[in-house]
Amino acid sequence: MTFKVYSAGSNARGQLGNGTIEDACAFAPCVFPKSVDQDTKSIPASASDNLRPLILVPSDNNHLHSIARIATGANHSLILFNSTHHVYGVGDNSRGQLLITPSETTSFQRVNLDVKQGYRVVDIAASWETSYFVLRHEPVAIDDREQGDVASPSPPAETTISQPLESDLLVAIGSNDFGALGVGSLDPPAVVPAPATRKGKEKKPVPSSPTPSQQQTLSFNHLLPRATSKSTYRISTIETGLNHVILILDVYSKSGPPSQLIVGWGSCRHGQLGPVSHSPSTSPVSVKPSLNPPKASQQPKPANKARKPTSKSNPSTPQPPSFIPIPTVLRVKNTSPVKRVAAGSQHTVLLHEDGTLTTWGSNRKNQLPPTHPPRVLDVECTWNGTYLVTNPSIKEGGTSFNVLATGSGEKGQLGRAAPSSSSTPSSSSVLTVNSSGLLPVDLSTTDNLRIRKLACGSEHVLLLLESENDETTDLYVWGWNEHGNLGLNNNQDAFAPSRLPWTGRGRIVDVWAGCGTSWLVVEEND
C-alpha cells in the first residue's frame, strides 16, 4: 500500500508543485526531487528523472499515510511529513516564506529551518506570505539515534497527562505585514543591486535571499499566568486567517490540572481577534531599568500624548487597532475549553467542548453563525463563510450528519441555490444565497456515509465522505472555480456539491484546500 499527493487550481507561482506554472483544472501528481526518498522512506517511482511524482509508504506506527498537514498561503505551499518531521515547500519565495535560494520554485524543496537540538516540527501553517512551524522537544529513541529518527510523538495511553519537560516553540518566516511574524516591527530586508542589463541599465534592487538566521523563533512563556510557576505548554492548535494567527496553548504545571490559553496576533481591524485591548500583551523582550537614571535637568521633555484613533460615527468611541504585532492573550468569555479554531479573512470561530461557539469579527456577509447551534462536531471557514458539521440525531446502525453553511454565496460557496438558467447567478439569486443564514448544504444523500474530512479553501469547499459498509470514499466539491481548483476539468463555479469523477488508481483518503488550490492524498494498493 502506497500513497501519492495530487493538486489542482491556481499555479501562477508554481504553488501546485507539479513542475509547471500553468493552472490545473484536473488533479495532477505533485513532483519532488529524488533526494526526498531518503527523507520520507518512499519507494522511487523513477530512476531516471530528477523530478517525479512521490510515492509514499505508510507510517510504521499507525499505518496512516505520511502526510501530516498541507498548508498554503497566497502563492506558496508547505507539506509536513509524519515519518521524519521534515517540511517541503513550493511556489513563491519573494518574501522568504520558504527559506530557499530562488525567488520561486515549481517543485517541492526542503525547507531548511535552523531547528534547536532535540526539537522536531510537529505542525505547520501559512498566512498570506508568512509560514509557521511548531517545534516540539522530543527525546531521541536509543535504538534510532544512529538514523536520527525520533520517538513517536503520540503519547502513551495514560489516565493522566504528564507535564512536558520543555515548552513548544514557534518559528515564523516570511512577510511581517500586519505583524504576521509576531515580533513587532522589523528592519527592512537587506537589498542587493540587480545585475546590469545588456544595455547597461540597472534594474531595480531586489531583496537578498533569506537565510536561516532570519527566521523568527517565538516563545510564549511570558504569557503564562504568574501563579503557575515552572509551567510548560504545548501548542495544540495553530490556525491562520488571511493575515491573523490564533494558537491554543495547553499549559501544564505541577500545581494543578492543565489549563488553556488562546493567543493571537496580526490583523484585527474587523474584530477577528476578539475584544482585544488597545495595549497588546507585554512584549517577550524585557528591558532592564537603568541603575543610574539621569538627573531631572538631563531628562527629555515629555512628548505630547498621541490621540487614540476614534470611530468616525462616534468621535468619543476609541477605534480598535488595525493589527497586533506581538502575541497577545485573547479574552474568551465562554469557560468551556476550545477544541477547534477556524479562521476566515475577517472572522474567527471557536468551537468549545460543550458544543457552543464563540464568534469574532466581521458579519457583513452573514459569515458568523449563531453561538448555540445543535450538536456541532466540526467547524471550518472560507474567507467569507462558516461551515458546521452537526449531528442532529442518531440512527440505528450509524450516525446522521448535516453540513450547515452561512456567509457569502456569490460563487456557490454555500452549496445551495444554484441558478437554473446559467452558471452566473442573477442579482436576486445572489441576494438569496447571501442572506439565507445557517442552512444545510444541498447534499443528495448521506445514508450509510460518514464524513472523513471537511476542508475549506479561500472560497471553495471539499467534502470527503466514506461508506460505513466498505470504506470506499467519494469527494464532493463546490464553490469558486476560476482556476480549476475544484478539479472538475473546467473553471465554472459549482453552486451545488458535485461528485469528483476520480479516475485515478486507488481511493482518496485525505484532502486539503488553500487559496484557489485543492490537494488530495490517494491510497494505492500495490
Side-chain angles (χ1 to χ4, degrees):
M1 183 182 299
T2 56
F3 299 86
K4 280 186 179 179
V5 184
Y6 291 77
S7 59
S10 176
N11 199 31
R13 302 300 297 273
Q15 61 264 39
L16 293 182
N18 61 13
T20 75
I21 56 171
E22 300 294 330
D23 288 0
C25 295
F27 285 98
C30 299
V31 294
F32 294 77
K34 289 203 309 185
S35 60
V36 77
D37 290 332
Q38 301 174 359
D39 288 338
T40 60
K41 302 179 182 178
S42 63
I43 302 173
S46 170
S48 59
D49 297 331
N50 290 328
L51 296 175
R52 55 14 169 199
L54 180 68
I55 300 178
L56 303 167
V57 298
S59 300
D60 297 333
N61 296 327
N62 50 21
H63 303 291
L64 296 176
H65 61 76
S66 293
I67 302 296
R69 187 172 185 179
I70 298 177
T72 65
N75 292 295
H76 74 287
S77 308
L78 303 168
I79 290 183
L80 171 62
F81 288 102
N82 265 322
S83 55
T84 60
H85 304 272
H86 291 168
V87 182
Y88 282 76
V90 72
D92 180 25
N93 186 48
S94 61
R95 306 298 295 273
Q97 59 265 55
L98 298 179
L99 278 184
I100 58 176
T101 301
S103 60
E104 68 178 52
T105 175
T106 61
S107 63
F108 280 93
Q109 296 189 26
R110 174 84 179 272
V111 179
N112 292 310
L113 297 171
D114 185 9
V115 179
K116 186 178 178 181
Q117 185 176 4
Y119 282 79
R120 298 291 185 269
V121 181
V122 296
D123 203 356
I124 57 175
S127 58
W128 190 245
E129 291 181 317
T130 311
S131 302
Y132 305 93
F133 310 85
V134 177
L135 306 184
R136 181 163 298 162
H137 185 268
E138 295 178 351
V140 176
I142 296 177
D143 295 338
D144 296 332
R145 284 178 182 172
E146 292 183 359
Q147 291 80 13
D149 292 336
V150 298
S152 170
S154 301
E158 298 178 353
T159 55
T160 59
I161 301 176
S162 59
Q163 179 180 353
L165 297 177
E166 303 287 344
S167 293
D168 289 353
L169 301 173
L170 183 70
V171 168
I173 58 176
S175 166
N176 196 37
D177 294 344
F178 298 95
L181 292 177
V183 293
S185 60
L186 287 178
D187 294 333
V191 174
V192 296
T197 62
R198 291 183 179 180
K199 295 182 179 180
K201 296 181 179 179
E202 284 192 357
K203 295 181 180 179
K204 293 182 178 180
V206 295
S208 61
S209 299
T211 63
S213 61
Q214 291 176 298
Q215 70 182 39
Q216 307 298 325
T217 302
L218 307 181
S219 172
F220 306 96
N221 289 317
H222 65 290
L223 298 178
L224 302 183
R226 294 182 179 180
T228 56
S229 60
K230 297 182 180 180
S231 297
T232 55
Y233 63 84
R234 281 193 165 174
I235 303 173
S236 61
T237 297
I238 176 170
E239 290 295 332
T240 55
L242 206 61
N243 289 297
H244 69 287
V245 186
I246 293 183
L247 308 180
I248 298 179
L249 302 185
D250 293 336
V251 182
Y252 301 84
S253 68
K254 296 181 180 179
S255 59
S259 59
Q260 191 178 76
L261 284 180
I262 310 300
V263 175
W265 66 94
S267 178
C268 62
R269 185 168 68 91
H270 298 276
Q272 57 264 55
L273 292 179
V276 296
S277 63
H278 288 277
S279 299
S281 297
T282 305
S283 170
V285 180
S286 60
V287 180
K288 295 181 179 180
S290 173
L291 297 179
N292 297 306
K295 297 179 180 180
S297 59
Q298 297 174 340
Q299 292 181 357
K301 295 180 180 181
N304 294 329
K305 293 184 179 180
R307 295 183 179 180
K308 294 182 179 180
T310 56
S311 172
K312 292 181 179 179
S313 59
N314 187 353
S316 62
T317 303
Q319 187 177 4
S322 59
F323 68 93
I324 298 176
I326 60 174
T328 301
V329 175
L330 306 181
R331 299 197 298 269
V332 183
K333 294 182 179 179
N334 191 335
T335 58
S336 176
V338 177
K339 69 174 185 179
R340 182 79 176 88
V341 179
S345 172
Q346 300 173 354
H347 74 292
T348 302
V349 181
L350 312 180
L351 172 60
H352 296 269
E353 288 186 358
D354 63 4
T356 60
L357 302 174
T358 293
T359 59
W360 294 331
S362 172
N363 196 34
R364 293 178 60 186
K365 298 188 177 182
N366 298 317
Q367 60 263 57
L368 299 183
T371 56
H372 290 76
R375 297 177 182 268
V376 179
L377 304 177
D378 193 15
V379 58
E380 296 285 342
C381 289
T382 57
W383 282 358
N384 296 289
T386 300
Y387 300 76
L388 306 179
V389 178
T390 65
N391 180 209
S393 62
I394 299 178
K395 293 182 178 180
E396 184 178 354
T399 59
S400 66
F401 68 86
N402 282 330
V403 179
L404 308 180
T406 186
S408 175
E410 291 94 336
K411 301 294 182 179
Q413 306 96 303
L414 300 181
R416 57 179 182 263
S420 57
S421 58
S422 67
S423 60
T424 303
S426 63
S427 59
S428 59
S429 60
V430 168
L431 180 62
T432 300
V433 296
N434 280 340
S435 60
S436 53
L438 188 64
L439 293 174
V441 169
D442 187 16
L443 294 169
S444 56
T445 179
T446 59
D447 293 339
N448 300 317
L449 296 172
R450 56 175 171 253
I451 293 181
R452 189 178 178 102
K453 183 77 169 287
L454 173 67
C456 288
S458 45
E459 293 293 358
H460 68 290
V461 184
L462 280 64
L463 178 64
L464 183 61
L465 301 179
E466 183 178 57
S467 170
E468 293 179 345
N469 300 324
D470 56 10
E471 296 187 347
T472 57
T473 59
D474 283 318
L475 178 60
Y476 286 84
V477 296
W478 66 91
W480 179 55
N481 193 36
E482 179 180 349
H483 299 281
N485 33 292
L486 298 183
L488 298 174
N489 210 23
N490 61 56
N491 59 359
Q492 297 179 351
D493 299 336
F495 283 79
S498 300
R499 181 179 177 273
L500 180 76
W502 179 248
T503 57
R505 290 179 53 195
R507 66 173 189 141
I508 303 170
V509 295
D510 213 341
V511 296
W512 284 269
C515 182
T517 62
S518 298
W519 305 78
L520 313 178
V521 174
V522 177
E523 175 189 87
E524 298 181 353
N525 293 323
D526 297 334

